[in-house]
Amino acid sequence: MRITIHGAAGEVTGSSHLLEFGKQRILLDCGLHQGGREDEARNADEFPFAVDSLDAVVISHAHIDHLGRLPLLVKRGYRGPVFTHRATADLARIMLEDSAQLAAADTERHNRRRLREGLPADEVPLYSALDVADTLSLLRGLDYASPTEILPGLTLTLRDAGHILGSASVELRGETPKGPRTLLFSGDLGSKGAPLMNDPVSVPQADLVLLESTYGDRLHRSRQATVAELGEVFRQAAAQRGNVLIPAFAVGRSQEILYWLARHYDEWQIGQWQIYLDSPMALRVTDVYSRHCRLFDRDGQQRWRTESNPFQLPNLRLIHSVQDSQALNARGGGCIIIAGSGMCNGGRIRHHLRHNLWRDNAHVVFAGYQARGTLGRALVDGAEYVSIFGERIKVNATRHTIGGLSAHADQNGLVDWYGDIARHPRVVLVHGEDEPRAALAQRLNERFGAEVKIPSAGQTYVSSPV
Ligand code: ZN
């Protein structure tokens, strides 16, 4: 078994790894690069392997940086099966349809600008709704912990990674003349004790491990401290009569924020706010969460049975139309606005930021990872001015980074998950910037004597028995 790291090497987006097992080739994840313009321009590049040489694709979870390039793969000729968890297959429809729509809108805006300048249109969208439809027809939904022979001699088992609904660690076991070999790809690992999600399931055995390292250099505050921190934001914002903006990924973060608002409704006096979920995609995703509520952890399932739907709040308004979204622009206080995208590099949150960042009574809560090059990262890093739709905006709003709300395991979570694998096999760190990778490598080495690799894109590793 040979694995080549093609994406998310030294960064957190564009996850993509190629496994070669004998003559068979399997792509693990096919994610979009996200970040600044240059990062995103890489999405249109040639794939670094022959598309028609692939026999199967496996997708770890429904975040766009793990599956967003899949329709391009199909557009360029891939027709084989795409294996993933069945909840991910449901979420993929929403994510990819949205992605195609965004690509079409971006291209149209770009081409219109060129036409106004007297230049010919020069862009085509990365892929279309038709490519997405073709892609969806290739999805094969699986359950957790059900080994499935996906190619002759190669068995796939998905384990609950506890990151978002349907998220999986990918275990691929191949029978070779020298005995079985197992490659384990962590996918994105969730944070222990996160609401609704189970804790990441440990995997007992592997010969080679690809481990995510998003927060490899950080420890989250405890769940209790995190929740208190969030409550304090609402108290401060209420005292200042401002708005609270929460950029949130449509999958995972939006549902978790609603869950916390419901749990602490009285304590945080949430009744005094008008809450807006301004993300048509998040609404559809929340429906999928409802349909798959059996995958929730015990507490989540119990709440579901006893309190009807934890996503329902009496003062929650779901915003569908652009007009209703724009109507919020004039509101100077009293609103909690949850909108995508989570890293502020697109979506309706940009309009809300434009109309609120200059207000000194506004608050922005960052509940997820902000990749290099995104507007969210600039804000988290303390930018005094930002540019939104070509307009220079002074940032007077208070910014809060609440790491403990993250859907990613912190350093201890990553170390514990790896520590459960027998005999501590060789581990390749992916899905993390350089500092977190270096810190995690040092910790894994000191604690377990692990052989840790920090790949750059294009590097290959061969699994040998531990
Ligand atoms: Zn993810």
Side-chain angles (χ1 to χ4, degrees):
M1 275 189 172
R2 288 155 51 89
I3 186 95
T4 305
I5 309 303
H6 284 306
E11 56 183 341
V12 299
T13 69
S15 179
S16 170
H17 315 295
L18 183 70
L19 173 71
E20 290 165 87
F21 171 63
K23 290 210 166 76
Q24 296 166 330
R25 304 179 115 207
I26 302 97
L27 188 65
L28 305 183
D29 279 355
C30 191
L32 273 185
H33 299 286
Q34 293 175 298
R37 250 183 188 288
E38 268 170 43
D39 293 306
E40 297 191 357
R42 287 154 60 200
N43 288 319
D45 289 355
E46 288 295 318
F47 287 98
F49 44 79
V51 171
D52 60 5
S53 71
L54 293 178
D55 299 290
V57 176
V58 180
I59 298 292
S60 65
H61 66 288
H63 277 149
I64 209 75
D65 59 322
H66 293 259
L67 57 57
R69 266 183 111 201
L70 202 48
L72 185 66
L73 193 76
V74 173
K75 182 180 175 179
R76 293 185 179 167
Y78 181 70
R79 290 291 176 274
V82 178
F83 297 97
T84 192
H85 189 273
R86 57 193 169 81
T88 302
D90 285 352
L91 291 170
R93 170 180 298 277
I94 303 170
M95 304 303 284
L96 296 179
E97 284 176 354
D98 178 75
S99 181
Q101 234 169 45
L102 281 180
D106 278 355
T107 304
E108 200 188 315
R109 205 172 316 134
H110 169 92
N111 285 342
R112 238 187 292 133
R113 192 175 301 155
R114 291 200 32 114
L115 292 173
R116 282 199 298 268
E117 283 177 48
L119 301 167
D122 67 346
E123 246 185 35
V124 288
L126 199 57
Y127 47 78
S128 68
L130 282 177
D131 300 316
V132 169
D134 287 345
T135 305
L136 296 174
S137 70
L138 303 177
L139 293 177
R140 308 272 184 276
L142 305 176
D143 286 311
Y144 291 129
S146 6
T148 306
E149 191 174 25
I150 59 167
L151 291 169
L154 189 70
T155 301
L156 166 68
T157 309
L158 301 176
R159 313 272 184 191
D160 192 345
H163 170 62
I164 58 168
L165 189 79
S167 65
S169 301
V170 174
E171 187 187 327
L172 282 159
R173 181 185 160 99
E175 300 301 331
T176 77
K178 294 179 192 158
R181 296 278 185 277
T182 304
L183 172 91
L184 176 60
F185 168 39
S186 67
D188 284 2
L189 292 173
S191 172
K192 276 186 199 162
L196 304 177
M197 297 297 109
N198 285 302
D199 290 348
V201 169
S202 51
V203 183
Q205 195 273 328
D207 300 302
L208 181 64
V209 179
L210 301 192
L211 175 62
E212 72 119 318
S213 52
T214 317
Y215 285 116
D217 59 346
R218 255 179 276 180
L219 297 178
H220 298 324
R221 297 177 79 174
S222 70
R223 187 74 43 190
Q224 206 181 3
T226 299
V227 169
E229 212 179 334
L230 186 60
E232 179 57 23
V233 173
F234 295 118
R235 202 194 57 73
Q236 265 183 42
Q240 294 178 317
R241 300 176 188 282
N243 289 327
V244 179
L245 269 53
I246 311 181
F249 290 107
V251 189
R253 289 323 61 216
S254 295
Q255 291 74 25
E256 185 175 332
I257 301 282
L258 293 179
Y259 172 93
W260 287 121
L261 294 177
R263 276 290 296 274
H264 297 274
Y265 194 83
D266 294 329
E267 185 195 336
W268 296 348
Q269 300 182 348
I270 294 300
Q272 65 185 314
W273 295 91
Q274 189 65 52
I275 307 162
Y276 297 95
L277 180 58
D278 186 11
S279 168
M281 189 166 49
L283 303 178
R284 294 179 66 194
V285 168
T286 305
D287 281 345
V288 177
Y289 265 65
S290 303
R291 269 211 311 281
H292 289 280
C293 61
R294 285 216 186 98
L295 296 172
F296 293 171
D297 63 6
R298 198 178 304 165
D299 167 79
Q301 290 196 36
Q302 198 174 357
R303 271 176 207 288
W304 200 271
R305 277 198 297 272
T306 54
E307 296 169 25
S308 70
N309 181 336
F311 301 135
Q312 287 306 331
L313 292 158
N315 48 345
L316 172 64
R317 238 191 94 196
L318 309 175
I319 305 262
H320 294 271
S321 75
V322 175
Q323 287 83 345
D324 287 348
S325 175
Q326 284 167 346
L328 297 178
N329 293 345
R331 302 274 303 270
C335 306
I336 298 172
I337 303 172
I338 306 167
S341 74
M343 299 193 288
C344 312
N345 52 332
R348 292 183 179 179
I349 193 68
R350 290 171 76 87
H351 293 276
H352 298 302
L353 289 168
R354 180 191 188 190
H355 289 280
N356 281 279
L357 282 176
W358 63 273
R359 301 181 203 267
D360 52 16
N361 63 349
H363 292 254
V364 188
V365 176
F366 292 95
Y369 192 80
Q370 305 297 316
R372 226 175 7 217
T374 59
L375 172 60
R377 178 67 162 261
L379 287 168
V380 163
D381 286 347
E384 221 181 303
Y385 291 88
V386 290
S387 163
I388 302 178
F389 301 118
E391 200 178 320
R392 189 165 183 253
I393 314 273
K394 173 85 167 76
V395 186
N396 293 318
T398 310
R399 292 160 263 194
H400 309 266
T401 304
I402 306 192
L405 282 180
S406 168
H408 283 275
D410 66 2
Q411 191 191 59
N412 285 342
L414 297 169
V415 167
D416 289 349
W417 185 84
Y418 173 80
D420 284 342
I421 307 167
R423 296 192 300 258
H424 308 126
R426 186 147 54 123
V427 53
V428 180
L429 299 185
V430 293
H431 204 281
E433 293 176 6
D434 286 342
E435 271 174 46
R437 292 202 299 174
L440 182 61
Q442 192 183 353
R443 180 92 197 276
L444 291 173
N445 184 268
E446 281 169 8
R447 175 93 185 269
F448 306 110
E451 183 190 344
V452 189
K453 300 289 178 191
I454 298 187
S456 17
Q459 232 155 332
T460 297
Y461 301 92
V462 179
S463 87
S464 43
V466 186

